[in-house]
Amino acid sequence: MAEDLKLMRTWSSPYALRVVHALKIKGLEYETVLEDMTKKSASLLEYNPVHKKVPVLLHNGRPVCESLVILEYIDDVWKQPPLLPQDPNEKAMARFWANFGDDKVMPLTWRVFTSEGKDQEEAIGPMMENLKFLEEQLKGKSFFGGEAIGYTDIAFGWMGNLISILEEIIDLKLVDEEKFPLLSVWINKFSDDPVIKECWPPRDKMVEKFKVIRERYLKQAP
Amino acid sequence: MEEIPNKLRLYGTEASPYVRRVIWALKIKGIEYDFVQEDLSNKSPSLLRYNPINKTVPVLVHAGKAIAESVVILEYIEETWPDPTPLLPEHPYERAMARFWIAYGDQKQHHVFHSFLACSEEGKEKAAKDLMEMLKIVQDEALGDQKFFGGNTLSLVDLCYGWLTSLKYVERVVGVRVLEPTTLPKLHRWMQDFSEEPLVKENLPDLEAKLPELETLRKHLMSTNK
Protein backbone atom coordinates (compact mmCIF):
# COMPACT_ATOMS: atom_id res chain seq x y z
CA MET A 1 0.00 0.00 0.00
CA ALA A 2 1.42 3.38 -0.98
CA GLU A 3 2.46 5.71 1.79
CA ASP A 4 0.89 9.14 1.98
CA LEU A 5 4.07 11.02 1.10
CA LYS A 6 4.51 14.47 -0.42
CA LEU A 7 7.75 16.35 -0.99
CA MET A 8 7.68 20.11 -1.31
CA ARG A 9 10.73 21.21 -3.23
CA THR A 10 12.12 23.43 -5.97
CA TRP A 11 13.48 22.16 -9.27
CA SER A 12 17.08 22.90 -8.27
CA SER A 13 17.49 22.89 -4.48
CA PRO A 14 20.42 20.64 -3.52
CA TYR A 15 18.89 20.19 -0.06
CA ALA A 16 15.66 18.93 -1.58
CA LEU A 17 17.65 16.61 -3.85
CA ARG A 18 18.96 14.86 -0.75
CA VAL A 19 15.42 13.86 0.09
CA VAL A 20 14.71 12.85 -3.53
CA HIS A 21 17.76 10.58 -3.44
CA ALA A 22 16.83 9.06 -0.09
CA LEU A 23 13.26 8.33 -1.14
CA LYS A 24 14.51 6.76 -4.36
CA ILE A 25 17.00 4.53 -2.54
CA LYS A 26 14.26 3.37 -0.18
CA GLY A 27 11.96 2.72 -3.14
CA LEU A 28 9.25 5.00 -1.81
CA GLU A 29 6.59 6.62 -3.97
CA TYR A 30 5.54 10.15 -3.31
CA GLU A 31 3.94 13.22 -4.79
CA THR A 32 6.11 16.19 -5.72
CA VAL A 33 4.91 19.69 -4.96
CA LEU A 34 7.06 22.19 -6.84
CA GLU A 35 7.57 25.49 -5.08
CA ASP A 36 8.69 28.87 -6.33
CA MET A 37 10.85 30.60 -3.72
CA THR A 38 10.03 34.01 -5.14
CA LYS A 39 6.34 33.30 -4.57
CA LYS A 40 5.97 30.90 -1.65
CA SER A 41 2.73 29.00 -1.46
CA ALA A 42 0.38 29.26 1.51
CA SER A 43 1.00 25.54 2.11
CA LEU A 44 4.74 26.00 2.40
CA LEU A 45 4.29 28.82 4.88
CA GLU A 46 1.83 26.69 6.82
CA TYR A 47 4.03 23.57 6.91
CA ASN A 48 7.35 25.34 7.48
CA PRO A 49 6.51 28.57 9.28
CA VAL A 50 9.86 28.70 11.04
CA HIS A 51 12.18 28.61 8.02
CA LYS A 52 9.74 29.05 5.11
CA LYS A 53 12.03 26.88 2.98
CA VAL A 54 12.15 23.63 1.05
CA PRO A 55 12.44 20.73 1.39
CA VAL A 56 9.42 19.79 3.47
CA LEU A 57 8.38 16.15 3.66
CA LEU A 58 4.73 15.54 4.42
CA HIS A 59 4.02 12.08 5.80
CA ASN A 60 0.35 11.42 6.46
CA GLY A 61 -0.09 15.18 6.38
CA ARG A 62 2.55 15.88 9.04
CA PRO A 63 5.51 18.03 8.02
CA VAL A 64 9.17 17.27 8.62
CA CYS A 65 11.59 20.10 7.79
CA GLU A 66 15.37 20.49 7.39
CA SER A 67 16.97 18.07 4.94
CA LEU A 68 19.23 16.17 7.36
CA VAL A 69 16.38 15.84 9.88
CA ILE A 70 14.23 14.48 7.03
CA LEU A 71 16.93 11.93 6.09
CA GLU A 72 17.06 10.66 9.67
CA TYR A 73 13.26 10.49 9.77
CA ILE A 74 13.09 8.51 6.54
CA ASP A 75 15.75 6.13 7.86
CA ASP A 76 13.88 5.75 11.17
CA VAL A 77 10.55 4.89 9.55
CA TRP A 78 11.63 2.80 6.54
CA LYS A 79 14.55 0.65 7.64
CA GLN A 80 15.67 -0.97 4.37
CA PRO A 81 18.08 -0.37 2.86
CA PRO A 82 19.67 1.52 5.77
CA LEU A 83 21.15 4.97 5.10
CA LEU A 84 22.96 5.28 8.42
CA PRO A 85 25.34 2.56 9.68
CA GLN A 86 24.09 0.34 12.52
CA ASP A 87 27.19 0.65 14.70
CA PRO A 88 26.83 3.71 17.00
CA ASN A 89 30.39 4.87 16.41
CA GLU A 90 30.11 4.62 12.64
CA LYS A 91 26.75 6.34 12.82
CA ALA A 92 28.38 9.18 14.76
CA MET A 93 31.08 9.46 12.07
CA ALA A 94 28.45 9.57 9.32
CA ARG A 95 26.67 12.43 11.10
CA PHE A 96 29.92 14.22 11.84
CA TRP A 97 30.97 14.27 8.19
CA ALA A 98 27.56 15.36 6.99
CA ASN A 99 27.70 18.31 9.41
CA PHE A 100 31.25 19.05 8.27
CA GLY A 101 29.97 19.29 4.73
CA ASP A 102 27.26 21.77 5.65
CA ASP A 103 29.33 23.78 8.12
CA LYS A 104 32.61 23.95 6.23
CA VAL A 105 32.73 22.56 2.70
CA MET A 106 29.54 24.09 1.35
CA PRO A 107 30.06 27.64 2.66
CA LEU A 108 33.70 27.65 1.53
CA THR A 109 32.78 26.39 -1.93
CA TRP A 110 30.16 29.09 -2.07
CA ARG A 111 32.69 31.75 -1.09
CA VAL A 112 35.03 30.67 -3.88
CA PHE A 113 32.16 30.64 -6.36
CA THR A 114 30.75 34.05 -5.45
CA SER A 115 34.04 35.96 -5.39
CA GLU A 116 36.85 36.86 -7.75
CA GLY A 117 40.44 38.04 -7.74
CA LYS A 118 42.11 38.30 -4.37
CA ASP A 119 38.93 37.40 -2.41
CA GLN A 120 38.62 34.20 -4.37
CA GLU A 121 42.29 33.35 -4.00
CA GLU A 122 42.01 33.74 -0.23
CA ALA A 123 38.98 31.45 -0.11
CA ILE A 124 40.55 28.65 -2.10
CA GLY A 125 43.18 27.68 0.50
CA PRO A 126 40.70 26.84 3.30
CA MET A 127 38.46 25.06 0.81
CA MET A 128 41.31 22.82 -0.34
CA GLU A 129 42.30 22.09 3.26
CA ASN A 130 38.81 20.81 3.95
CA LEU A 131 38.62 18.77 0.74
CA LYS A 132 41.77 16.98 1.93
CA PHE A 133 39.82 15.70 4.95
CA LEU A 134 37.14 14.34 2.63
CA GLU A 135 39.74 12.71 0.42
CA GLU A 136 41.15 10.87 3.45
CA GLN A 137 37.69 9.63 4.41
CA LEU A 138 37.35 7.83 1.09
CA LYS A 139 40.49 5.70 1.50
CA GLY A 140 39.64 2.04 0.93
CA LYS A 141 35.98 2.80 0.29
CA SER A 142 33.77 3.17 -2.76
CA PHE A 143 31.44 5.59 -1.01
CA PHE A 144 31.51 7.49 2.29
CA GLY A 145 29.02 4.88 3.45
CA GLY A 146 31.28 1.98 2.47
CA GLU A 147 30.21 -0.24 -0.41
CA ALA A 148 26.84 1.40 -0.90
CA ILE A 149 25.55 4.96 -1.00
CA GLY A 150 24.58 6.10 2.50
CA TYR A 151 23.64 9.11 4.57
CA THR A 152 26.97 10.92 4.19
CA ASP A 153 27.05 10.36 0.43
CA ILE A 154 23.58 11.82 0.14
CA ALA A 155 24.61 14.77 2.32
CA PHE A 156 27.51 15.46 -0.07
CA GLY A 157 25.36 14.70 -3.08
CA TRP A 158 25.32 18.37 -4.09
CA MET A 159 28.93 17.90 -5.17
CA GLY A 160 27.75 15.30 -7.67
CA ASN A 161 26.34 17.89 -10.06
CA LEU A 162 27.21 21.32 -8.67
CA ILE A 163 31.00 21.03 -8.59
CA SER A 164 31.35 20.64 -12.35
CA ILE A 165 28.69 23.31 -12.96
CA LEU A 166 30.48 25.83 -10.72
CA GLU A 167 33.85 24.89 -12.23
CA GLU A 168 32.48 25.57 -15.69
CA ILE A 169 31.17 28.99 -14.71
CA ILE A 170 34.26 30.26 -12.90
CA ASP A 171 36.65 28.40 -15.23
CA LEU A 172 38.55 27.01 -12.28
CA LYS A 173 39.11 23.42 -11.16
CA LEU A 174 37.76 22.97 -7.63
CA VAL A 175 38.22 19.22 -7.32
CA ASP A 176 41.36 18.49 -9.28
CA GLU A 177 41.75 14.79 -10.23
CA GLU A 178 45.44 14.84 -9.37
CA LYS A 179 45.05 16.52 -5.99
CA PHE A 180 41.85 14.67 -5.05
CA PRO A 181 41.76 11.39 -6.97
CA LEU A 182 39.41 9.57 -4.60
CA LEU A 183 36.99 12.49 -4.32
CA SER A 184 36.96 12.88 -8.12
CA VAL A 185 36.14 9.20 -8.53
CA TRP A 186 33.43 9.48 -5.87
CA ILE A 187 31.82 12.45 -7.63
CA ASN A 188 31.57 10.46 -10.87
CA LYS A 189 30.42 7.25 -9.18
CA PHE A 190 27.76 9.04 -7.19
CA SER A 191 26.40 11.14 -10.04
CA ASP A 192 26.35 8.20 -12.45
CA ASP A 193 24.76 5.78 -10.05
CA PRO A 194 21.56 4.47 -11.70
CA VAL A 195 19.40 5.48 -8.74
CA ILE A 196 20.85 8.99 -8.58
CA LYS A 197 21.39 9.74 -12.26
CA GLU A 198 17.79 10.31 -13.30
CA CYS A 199 17.17 12.77 -10.50
CA TRP A 200 19.53 15.52 -11.62
CA PRO A 201 17.88 18.76 -12.73
CA PRO A 202 18.69 19.89 -16.32
CA ARG A 203 22.33 20.95 -16.46
CA ASP A 204 21.88 23.89 -18.87
CA LYS A 205 19.20 25.38 -16.63
CA MET A 206 21.51 24.98 -13.64
CA VAL A 207 24.42 26.66 -15.42
CA GLU A 208 22.15 29.55 -16.36
CA LYS A 209 20.79 29.90 -12.84
CA PHE A 210 24.16 29.85 -11.13
CA LYS A 211 25.71 32.25 -13.65
CA VAL A 212 23.08 34.79 -12.68
CA ILE A 213 23.72 34.16 -8.98
CA ARG A 214 27.46 34.70 -9.37
CA GLU A 215 26.94 37.93 -11.31
CA ARG A 216 24.63 39.22 -8.60
CA TYR A 217 27.24 38.56 -5.92
CA LEU A 218 30.05 40.15 -7.92
CA LYS A 219 27.96 43.28 -8.47
CA GLN A 220 27.28 43.57 -4.74
CA ALA A 221 30.90 43.12 -3.68
CA PRO A 222 32.51 46.27 -2.22
CA MET B 1 47.92 9.20 28.99
CA GLU B 2 47.40 5.47 28.59
CA GLU B 3 44.32 4.34 26.74
CA ILE B 4 42.07 2.26 28.97
CA PRO B 5 39.52 0.23 26.98
CA ASN B 6 35.86 1.21 27.55
CA LYS B 7 36.91 4.19 29.59
CA LEU B 8 35.02 7.35 28.78
CA ARG B 9 36.83 10.66 28.57
CA LEU B 10 35.38 14.09 27.84
CA TYR B 11 37.59 16.97 26.72
CA GLY B 12 35.99 20.30 27.53
CA THR B 13 35.95 23.67 29.22
CA GLU B 14 33.91 25.07 32.11
CA ALA B 15 32.23 27.77 30.08
CA SER B 16 31.38 26.10 26.76
CA PRO B 17 27.63 25.51 26.45
CA TYR B 18 28.38 22.77 23.92
CA VAL B 19 30.47 20.89 26.49
CA ARG B 20 27.90 21.55 29.22
CA ARG B 21 25.12 19.77 27.35
CA VAL B 22 27.28 16.64 27.09
CA ILE B 23 28.10 16.81 30.82
CA TRP B 24 24.39 17.01 31.62
CA ALA B 25 23.59 14.03 29.39
CA LEU B 26 26.27 11.89 31.05
CA LYS B 27 25.22 12.93 34.57
CA ILE B 28 21.52 12.39 33.90
CA LYS B 29 22.25 8.93 32.55
CA GLY B 30 24.57 8.16 35.46
CA ILE B 31 27.52 7.43 33.20
CA GLU B 32 31.00 7.74 34.68
CA TYR B 33 33.69 9.58 32.80
CA ASP B 34 36.95 11.46 33.17
CA PHE B 35 36.89 15.15 32.45
CA VAL B 36 39.92 16.78 30.84
CA GLN B 37 39.87 20.55 31.25
CA GLU B 38 41.24 22.21 28.12
CA ASP B 39 42.74 25.65 27.77
CA LEU B 40 41.58 26.73 24.32
CA SER B 41 44.43 29.21 24.02
CA ASN B 42 46.83 26.32 24.56
CA LYS B 43 45.20 23.16 23.26
CA SER B 44 46.56 19.83 24.43
CA PRO B 45 48.22 17.46 21.93
CA SER B 46 45.53 14.90 22.80
CA LEU B 47 42.73 17.25 21.83
CA LEU B 48 44.40 18.07 18.51
CA ARG B 49 44.98 14.37 17.88
CA TYR B 50 41.37 13.42 18.66
CA ASN B 51 39.78 16.33 16.81
CA PRO B 52 42.17 17.38 14.04
CA ILE B 53 39.34 18.76 11.95
CA ASN B 54 37.68 21.32 14.19
CA LYS B 55 40.35 21.33 16.92
CA THR B 56 37.84 22.17 19.60
CA VAL B 57 35.74 20.91 22.50
CA PRO B 58 33.73 18.91 23.28
CA VAL B 59 35.36 15.65 22.25
CA LEU B 60 34.21 12.35 23.73
CA VAL B 61 36.62 9.44 23.65
CA HIS B 62 35.06 6.02 24.18
CA ALA B 63 37.14 2.87 24.01
CA GLY B 64 39.85 4.81 22.23
CA LYS B 65 37.53 6.22 19.53
CA ALA B 66 36.93 9.96 19.39
CA ILE B 67 33.65 11.69 18.62
CA ALA B 68 33.37 15.44 18.06
CA GLU B 69 30.45 17.90 17.62
CA SER B 70 28.14 18.17 20.61
CA VAL B 71 24.93 17.03 18.89
CA VAL B 72 26.71 14.05 17.32
CA ILE B 73 28.07 13.18 20.77
CA LEU B 74 24.62 13.50 22.37
CA GLU B 75 23.06 11.17 19.78
CA TYR B 76 25.90 8.70 20.33
CA ILE B 77 25.41 8.74 24.11
CA GLU B 78 21.67 8.25 23.63
CA GLU B 79 22.18 5.25 21.35
CA THR B 80 24.88 3.62 23.41
CA TRP B 81 23.15 4.12 26.80
CA PRO B 82 19.43 4.45 26.06
CA ASP B 83 18.24 3.05 29.38
CA PRO B 84 17.13 3.71 32.01
CA THR B 85 16.85 7.41 31.12
CA PRO B 86 16.09 7.91 27.43
CA LEU B 87 16.61 11.46 26.23
CA LEU B 88 14.92 11.14 22.83
CA PRO B 89 11.33 10.12 22.14
CA GLU B 90 10.68 6.67 20.70
CA HIS B 91 8.34 7.71 17.93
CA PRO B 92 10.16 8.72 14.71
CA TYR B 93 8.01 11.81 14.15
CA GLU B 94 8.67 13.13 17.64
CA ARG B 95 12.35 12.36 17.24
CA ALA B 96 12.32 14.39 14.04
CA MET B 97 10.71 17.30 15.90
CA ALA B 98 13.36 17.06 18.63
CA ARG B 99 16.14 17.08 16.03
CA PHE B 100 14.51 19.99 14.23
CA TRP B 101 14.46 22.16 17.34
CA ILE B 102 18.00 21.22 18.30
CA ALA B 103 19.15 22.22 14.81
CA TYR B 104 17.11 25.45 14.97
CA GLY B 105 18.65 26.45 18.28
CA ASP B 106 22.17 25.80 17.07
CA GLN B 107 21.69 27.52 13.72
CA LYS B 108 20.11 30.63 15.15
CA GLN B 109 21.74 30.73 18.53
CA HIS B 110 25.22 31.29 17.33
CA HIS B 111 24.36 34.18 15.06
CA VAL B 112 21.70 35.95 17.11
CA PHE B 113 23.52 35.43 20.39
CA HIS B 114 26.76 36.65 18.92
CA SER B 115 25.04 39.75 17.58
CA PHE B 116 23.59 40.32 21.03
CA LEU B 117 26.94 40.07 22.76
CA ALA B 118 28.63 42.24 20.12
CA CYS B 119 25.94 44.90 19.78
CA SER B 120 26.75 48.59 20.14
CA GLU B 121 25.12 50.73 22.83
CA GLU B 122 22.79 52.20 20.20
CA GLY B 123 22.00 48.77 18.76
CA LYS B 124 21.26 47.20 22.14
CA GLU B 125 17.49 47.40 21.99
CA LYS B 126 17.31 45.92 18.51
CA ALA B 127 19.73 43.11 19.35
CA ALA B 128 17.67 42.25 22.41
CA LYS B 129 14.49 42.33 20.33
CA ASP B 130 16.00 39.96 17.73
CA LEU B 131 17.06 37.51 20.42
CA MET B 132 13.65 37.73 22.06
CA GLU B 133 11.90 37.01 18.76
CA MET B 134 13.97 33.90 18.21
CA LEU B 135 13.28 32.73 21.75
CA LYS B 136 9.57 33.45 21.36
CA ILE B 137 9.41 31.03 18.44
CA VAL B 138 11.11 28.38 20.56
CA GLN B 139 8.75 29.10 23.45
CA ASP B 140 5.54 29.08 21.44
CA GLU B 141 6.27 26.38 18.88
CA ALA B 142 8.61 23.98 20.65
CA LEU B 143 7.85 24.30 24.36
CA GLY B 144 4.20 25.35 24.44
CA ASP B 145 2.54 24.35 27.68
CA GLN B 146 4.83 21.42 28.40
CA LYS B 147 6.97 21.28 31.49
CA PHE B 148 10.04 20.45 29.47
CA PHE B 149 10.77 20.28 25.74
CA GLY B 150 10.66 16.51 26.19
CA GLY B 151 7.23 16.64 27.87
CA ASN B 152 7.25 15.61 31.52
CA THR B 153 10.85 14.50 31.43
CA LEU B 154 14.04 16.01 30.09
CA SER B 155 15.15 15.43 26.53
CA LEU B 156 18.20 16.34 24.46
CA VAL B 157 16.27 19.45 23.39
CA ASP B 158 16.21 20.71 26.98
CA LEU B 159 19.95 20.11 27.26
CA CYS B 160 20.59 21.99 24.01
CA TYR B 161 18.64 25.04 25.21
CA GLY B 162 20.29 24.76 28.62
CA TRP B 163 22.57 27.67 27.71
CA LEU B 164 19.60 29.89 28.56
CA THR B 165 20.41 29.30 32.24
CA SER B 166 23.56 31.34 31.62
CA LEU B 167 21.91 34.09 29.60
CA LYS B 168 21.59 36.24 32.71
CA TYR B 169 25.35 36.76 32.74
CA VAL B 170 25.32 38.04 29.19
CA GLU B 171 22.30 40.21 29.94
CA ARG B 172 24.26 41.71 32.80
CA VAL B 173 27.28 42.46 30.65
CA VAL B 174 25.26 43.90 27.75
CA GLY B 175 22.94 45.77 30.10
CA VAL B 176 19.56 44.68 28.79
CA ARG B 177 17.17 41.91 29.87
CA VAL B 178 15.68 39.46 27.41
CA LEU B 179 14.45 36.33 29.21
CA GLU B 180 12.00 37.58 31.83
CA PRO B 181 8.69 36.36 33.27
CA THR B 182 7.06 39.37 31.62
CA THR B 183 8.61 38.91 28.18
CA LEU B 184 8.84 35.13 27.79
CA PRO B 185 6.80 33.66 30.65
CA LYS B 186 6.74 29.99 29.61
CA LEU B 187 10.38 29.91 28.60
CA HIS B 188 11.41 31.70 31.77
CA ARG B 189 9.46 29.19 33.85
CA TRP B 190 11.11 26.39 31.86
CA MET B 191 14.55 27.84 32.52
CA GLN B 192 13.89 27.88 36.24
CA ASP B 193 12.44 24.34 36.29
CA PHE B 194 15.36 23.11 34.24
CA SER B 195 17.91 24.69 36.62
CA GLU B 196 16.16 23.05 39.57
CA GLU B 197 16.38 19.51 38.17
CA PRO B 198 18.79 17.84 40.61
CA LEU B 199 21.37 16.58 38.12
CA VAL B 200 21.30 19.88 36.26
CA LYS B 201 21.46 22.00 39.42
CA GLU B 202 24.55 20.16 40.68
CA ASN B 203 26.19 20.65 37.30
CA LEU B 204 25.51 24.24 36.34
CA PRO B 205 28.59 26.02 35.00
CA ASP B 206 30.38 28.38 37.32
CA LEU B 207 30.24 31.54 35.29
CA GLU B 208 30.27 34.22 37.99
CA ALA B 209 34.06 34.03 37.89
CA LYS B 210 33.99 34.42 34.11
CA LEU B 211 32.18 37.76 34.11
CA PRO B 212 35.31 39.89 33.66
CA GLU B 213 36.32 37.67 30.73
CA LEU B 214 32.86 38.08 29.23
CA GLU B 215 33.11 41.86 29.58
CA THR B 216 36.47 41.86 27.84
CA LEU B 217 35.05 39.67 25.08
CA ARG B 218 32.12 42.06 24.61
CA LYS B 219 34.42 45.08 24.37
CA HIS B 220 36.54 43.26 21.80
CA LEU B 221 33.53 42.20 19.74
CA MET B 222 32.08 45.70 19.87
CA SER B 223 35.24 47.22 18.52
CA THR B 224 35.56 44.72 15.67
CA ASN B 225 31.88 45.02 14.87
CA LYS B 226 32.02 48.51 13.37
Side-chain angles (χ1 to χ4, degrees), chain B residues 186-218:
Chain B
K186 290 175 185 171
L187 195 61
H188 187 265
R189 193 257 320 136
W190 167 84
M191 189 265 292
Q192 289 183 322
D193 285 347
F194 180 74
S195 332
E196 284 300 311
E197 279 293 290
L199 288 161
V200 173
K201 190 173 186 164
E202 290 162 22
N203 294 291
L204 284 170
D206 176 16
L207 292 180
E208 197 73 45
K210 299 269 175 187
L211 272 175
E213 225 175 280
L214 199 53
E215 274 161 11
T216 310
L217 177 59
R218 168 160 167 73

Side-chain angles (χ1 to χ4, degrees), chain B residues 143-218:
Chain B
L143 181 64
D145 292 317
Q146 300 180 112
K147 179 169 192 206
F148 297 117
F149 287 97
N152 286 322
T153 54
L154 292 178
S155 85
L156 291 184
V157 185
D158 295 276
L159 304 191
C160 290
Y161 283 97
W163 62 274
L164 288 171
T165 57
S166 305
L167 186 60
K168 57 179 179 275
Y169 297 107
V170 184
E171 288 171 337
R172 218 188 289 178
V173 160
V174 176
V176 62
R177 302 253 186 91
V178 175
L179 181 54
E180 293 286 291
T182 45
T183 56
L184 293 159
K186 290 175 185 171
L187 195 61
H188 187 265
R189 193 257 320 136
W190 167 84
M191 189 265 292
Q192 289 183 322
D193 285 347
F194 180 74
S195 332
E196 284 300 311
E197 279 293 290
L199 288 161
V200 173
K201 190 173 186 164
E202 290 162 22
N203 294 291
L204 284 170
D206 176 16
L207 292 180
E208 197 73 45
K210 299 269 175 187
L211 272 175
E213 225 175 280
L214 199 53
E215 274 161 11
T216 310
L217 177 59
R218 168 160 167 73

